[in-house]
Amino acid sequence: MHNTVSGERRKRIAALCVLLALAGFAVAGPTGLLAWSENAATLEQRETEIAQLTGKRDALRNRVMLLDPEAADPDLASELVRAQLGVIHEDEVVITIEDE
């Protein structure tokens, strides 16, 4: 009788240990409650980064469309030629603005 009670008690202790381990992982594990706020902050940071990169991508896409060889924007093409080659007309005045 003593053996039966002892075996039953061991099973209950083992089951309790397993439940405590599962509860510990649910709270402190890599996907547990404690990691939830950290993951939410990382997600918000990544979404901000994606929004910035999307804006840059759209600006570059627009610039590429303006430089399409079949329908290039004359103002942008002239600006690029002047900036790259340092070419100006005789009647133009160059004014440089220093950054503060």
Side-chain angles (χ1 to χ4, degrees):
M1 177 98 160
H2 187 327
N3 256 349
T4 312
V5 173
S6 180
E8 188 72 25
R9 183 179 172 114
R10 286 184 189 153
K11 289 180 185 178
R12 286 183 182 177
I13 290 174
L16 179 62
C17 289
V18 169
L19 287 175
L20 288 174
L22 289 175
F25 281 121
V27 172
T31 59
L33 295 175
L34 297 178
W36 196 303
S37 62
E38 183 181 329
N39 290 340
T42 303
L43 176 63
E44 186 176 320
Q45 180 183 11
R46 297 292 191 257
E47 286 175 344
T48 302
E49 187 177 339
I50 287 171
Q52 290 173 349
L53 291 174
T54 300
K56 286 181 182 179
R57 182 197 63 201
D58 292 344
L60 288 172
R61 183 180 290 155
N62 183 38
R63 194 159 175 95
V64 167
M65 286 175 40
L66 291 174
L67 290 174
D68 180 22
E70 300 196 11
D73 180 41
D75 291 334
L76 182 59
S78 174
E79 176 186 328
L80 287 174
V81 166
R82 291 168 194 255
Q84 299 277 327
L85 301 177
V87 178
I88 60 171
H89 292 287
E90 294 176 12
D91 60 342
E92 292 180 335
V93 177
V94 176
I95 302 173
T96 58
I97 301 173
E98 294 182 19
D99 293 334
E100 292 181 19

